[in-house]
Each structure stands twice: as C-alpha cells, then as structure tokens.
Amino acid sequence: MTELETLIGELVAEQGPMPLDRYMALCLGHPRFGYYMSRDPFGERGDFTTAPEISQMFGELVGVWAMAVWREMGSPSPFALVELGPGRGTLMSDLLRAAKAMPEFLNAAQINLVETSPVLRGMQEELIGSERAVWHEALTTLPESPSIIIANEFFDALPVKQFEHRGGKWFERCVGFEEEKLTIGHAPAAMPERFDAFAYDGAIVEDSPARDSVAEEIASMARAYKTAALIIDYGHETRAPGDTLQAMRAHKFVPVLHEPGNCDLTAHVDFESLASALRRGGVSVSPVTTQRSFLINMGLEERAERLSATASEEQKADIAAAVKRLAGPGDMGNLFKAICAVSPGLTMPFPFAAS
Ligand code: SAH
C-alpha cells in the first residue's frame, strides 16, 4: 500500500465516499505524496511523453504562433508570456529560441509560469533561467497586463468529477474503502437531475469544476487586458458520455486505483465544456481544431524540411518520425485538439477560424 492509499482510506473511513475529483487532486497534488510533487514524470524512463518532449519543432511552432499573435495585439510592451503547467520547461525554451528571430517580442515578454510541482519548477529554472521568469502557484497572481497564455497538456491533469445514471437518478462516482482496499462506487444519495441528454441507465458523464474555474480566470484576464490563450490537449470536440479517467505508469495503462500517488492520472478534455466555460466568461473562442491541422498550418512540414537539410541520415529519420507522431492521424494528430480564446474585440489569430 502506498502512504497516500493509507491516507485516502482513513479519509474515506472518517468522511465517507470521496468524489473522484478529490481523489485525483490528492493523487496528483498532495504536498508530500502527490505524483507531480516528487518526480520528473516525462520521457522514456518516466511514465509518459508529451509533444514538446518529442520534438523541438512543437515549441518552435507555438513560438511562431505567439509572435504573430503579439503583432496582431498591437505589439504590447511589456506583456506577460504565460505558460500553464510547463513540465520540464522544454516548450518555453524552444519557443524562446525561435523568438530570437524577433528581438522586440523577446524584449517585451515577461515570462510567467504557473506550476505547482517543486521538482518541475527546479527543471524549468535550469532550462529557462531563474532570473528570467516568475513562478506562480495559480493564475490568480499573474500580472495585470496584456497576456499570451499557452497550456499544453495542462487541462487533462485538472481533476474531473464523474456522475453515473442508475435507475432514473444521477449518482456521483466516488472512491470507497472496503476490506482494507480502495474501491470505486457511488455516493449513497442521488444528485439533483442533470445531464438530461445522457440520461440512460449506466451512462457516465464527466464534469470538471477545476477546469471551469481556470477557464473563468483566463476569461477574467481577457476581459481586463488584451489576451490570447492557446489550449492544446487530448480530448473530444463535443460533449459525450464516457469514463475517460486513466492512470499511466511507465507508458502503460494501469487501473485508476493502482498505487495512488505513483501513477499519472488524467482525463480527456471535453472541449465543448471548456469552450462554453470560456464563452460564459465573455471571451471569443475559436472552433475546435486538431493538433495536426494546427501544426501543419503553422509550418510543421516546412520546418521539418529545413531541419533535415543539414541533418545526418539518422537525424532525418528522427525528424520524420517526430512529424508522424505529432501530426499523424493515427498518432497524436487527431486525438489532440487545439482551441484559441481571445479578448472580446480581438481578431481570432491564424490558423484558428472565427466561430
Ligand atoms: N506542458 C508540459 C507538461 C504537461 S504535464 C508538456 O507539454 O510537456 C502537466 C503539467 O501541469 C506539469 O508541469 C504539472 O506539474 C502541472 N500541473 C498539474 N496540475 C497543476 C495545477 N493544479 N496547477 C499548476 N500546475 C499543475
């Protein structure tokens, strides 16, 4: 049993069944035993790999996007270049290297990173420079200034709740503790009627107050100052029932109750709900596009060709493999989606269409 498992068992015994979002928040963020608090989860020796870790091209193309958006915003100086959940800091460091092509953008950019993990903060400091950026625990302390916000694989790590339709009623799915083991069941009392569209027996529907609240914080910044946010993550374009909570260990799926605190826990991002939360906050939101379409429009193939021109045969093969992994329809290309949210009155930036 992990220490966190024992702790969760005690909490359930004291307080009753634990909603899944609380379970997920403890597994990922418990100050001592949380998954992100104590380790570097990325890469071959870790549990999963993200787009910026696959290839430098990802961060560079996000950089090209950010520079164009900054121009479109009227080149505000200074402005906050914000990343939510920067991981090892790879995306930001590739973005900043690409931005050397536009020194006025670099001079105006004040780098602000929202990160709760001390281990990952340390890695970000090493890669980006501790004097070059300001770190935040949450969005609430970000500077009051025009902002460009980037969030890659951040929202999938924010906790979700699940509700199950049984015998004509909705019940919240919860973690219980029986015979010295964690179990998944549901709360004894039914919820008020909701999710009418999916009310059939056995349906499971996810909802994320934590994601909605980050969306509201982005919207509140965007109402006050010129702001553009780019959100990339895996998930679905339209709201649908289904249990997407998943745990990963060493690049393999494991049960969500397996070794709490030692496995990555994520859930697919419901882009329809995320976009609605942003729109409720008064910002303009683009239609959902795929990572494939975003990267190809930003020049992935041209960038790969340029890099290949001076590369060894082995490097060329790596570059081609990275293009396929990032944008291939059977790889990340279609599963990963992108949306953009901008302040009311700002033009929706390329390659996002106005909705
Ligand atoms: N964007 C990076 C890392 C994705 S993993 C990449 O693409 O490689 C998720 C990141 O979000 C990690 O840096 C994790 O520590 C951070 N994170 C998770 N929950 C968070 C929270 N509630 N607040 C701030 N950061 C969080």
Side-chain angles (χ1 to χ4, degrees):
M1 245 198 202
T2 64
E3 284 172 285
L4 189 58
E5 195 168 358
T6 309
L7 178 78
I8 292 171
E10 285 165 10
L11 286 171
V12 171
E14 270 167 42
Q15 301 168 4
M18 176 184 287
L20 284 178
D21 58 341
R22 171 120 171 87
Y23 173 74
M24 195 171 164
L26 285 171
C27 288
L28 295 179
H30 182 278
R32 274 187 61 206
F33 310 128
Y35 177 75
Y36 278 116
M37 294 303 124
S38 55
R39 76 195 76 216
D40 167 18
F42 305 104
E44 265 166 45
R45 281 190 296 155
D47 296 311
F48 59 96
T49 303
T50 57
E53 301 300 330
I54 291 172
S55 165
Q56 66 182 73
M57 293 185 286
F58 188 82
E60 290 169 351
L61 295 172
V62 172
V64 171
W65 179 85
M67 288 185 273
V69 170
W70 180 68
R71 279 249 183 271
E72 210 142 287
M73 287 163 78
S75 312
S77 180
F79 78 99
L81 179 57
V82 177
E83 188 176 356
L84 309 180
R88 286 176 168 171
T90 310
L91 188 160
M92 185 56 78
S93 125
D94 293 335
L95 182 161
L96 294 172
R97 195 183 52 255
K100 286 191 178 149
M102 198 189 265
E104 53 296 10
F105 170 91
L106 274 187
N107 287 337
Q110 296 181 332
I111 301 163
N112 286 270
L113 305 175
V114 178
E115 176 60 71
T116 40
S117 156
V119 179
L120 294 176
R121 266 190 194 205
M123 298 184 83
Q124 294 156 18
E125 273 176 22
E126 252 174 55
L127 211 55
I128 295 159
S130 56
E131 63 306 317
R132 207 170 171 197
V134 178
W135 276 264
H136 304 261
E137 282 287 314
L139 283 80
T140 42
T141 54
L142 287 171
E144 302 188 344
S145 68
S147 302
I148 297 178
I149 303 173
I150 291 150
N152 184 61
E153 288 205 47
F154 171 70
F155 281 89
D156 66 66
L158 298 182
V160 294
K161 286 181 171 294
Q162 287 187 344
F163 300 92
E164 191 171 341
H165 201 254
R166 285 270 166 227
K169 294 197 168 96
W170 286 104
F171 295 89
E172 177 153 19
R173 297 189 87 214
C174 290
V175 173
F177 191 63
E178 282 163 34
E179 293 170 6
E180 300 300 303
K181 272 172 71 182
L182 297 182
T183 55
I184 291 198
H186 51 66
M191 309 285 300
E193 198 47 45
R194 56 199 297 187
F195 316 118
D196 289 348
F198 311 120
Y200 59 84
D201 212 44
I204 292 178
V205 173
E206 294 177 344
D207 199 27
S208 177
R211 291 176 186 163
D212 288 354
S213 113
V214 171
E216 171 44 33
E217 275 153 20
I218 293 174
S220 126
M221 288 169 69
R223 289 193 302 269
Y225 321 95
K226 279 185 190 173
T227 292
L230 172 65
I231 298 169
I232 304 179
D233 224 309
Y234 52 99
H236 36 278
E237 188 174 338
T238 39
R239 195 157 167 71
D243 169 9
T244 76
L245 186 61
Q246 61 187 40
M248 278 203 119
R249 183 88 197 264
H251 301 268
K252 291 202 172 64
F253 290 111
V254 293
V256 295
L257 297 178
H258 182 72
E259 293 192 25
N262 286 346
C263 308
D264 184 40
L265 266 186
T266 59
H268 284 208
V269 174
D270 167 1
F271 277 86
E272 186 177 335
S273 296
L274 188 59
S276 318
L278 288 160
R279 285 197 187 100
R280 277 198 303 279
V283 295
S284 315
V285 186
S286 71
V288 179
T289 183
T290 59
Q291 172 165 304
R292 172 183 175 74
S293 155
F294 173 77
L295 290 176
I296 289 186
N297 276 313
M298 292 315 300
L300 177 67
E301 282 158 342
E302 294 76 3
R303 183 73 191 125
E305 260 173 46
R306 291 249 331 244
L307 285 174
S308 296
T310 52
S312 67
E313 285 310 310
E314 197 187 335
Q315 288 167 330
K316 275 185 198 158
D318 285 349
I319 295 167
V323 169
K324 184 170 170 295
R325 268 185 88 181
L326 292 174
D331 290 87
M332 296 171 84
N334 286 346
L335 174 61
F336 281 67
K337 311 288 190 303
I339 54 169
C340 177
V342 293
S343 297
L346 271 188
T347 314
M348 188 54 71
F350 181 81
F352 295 95
S355 62

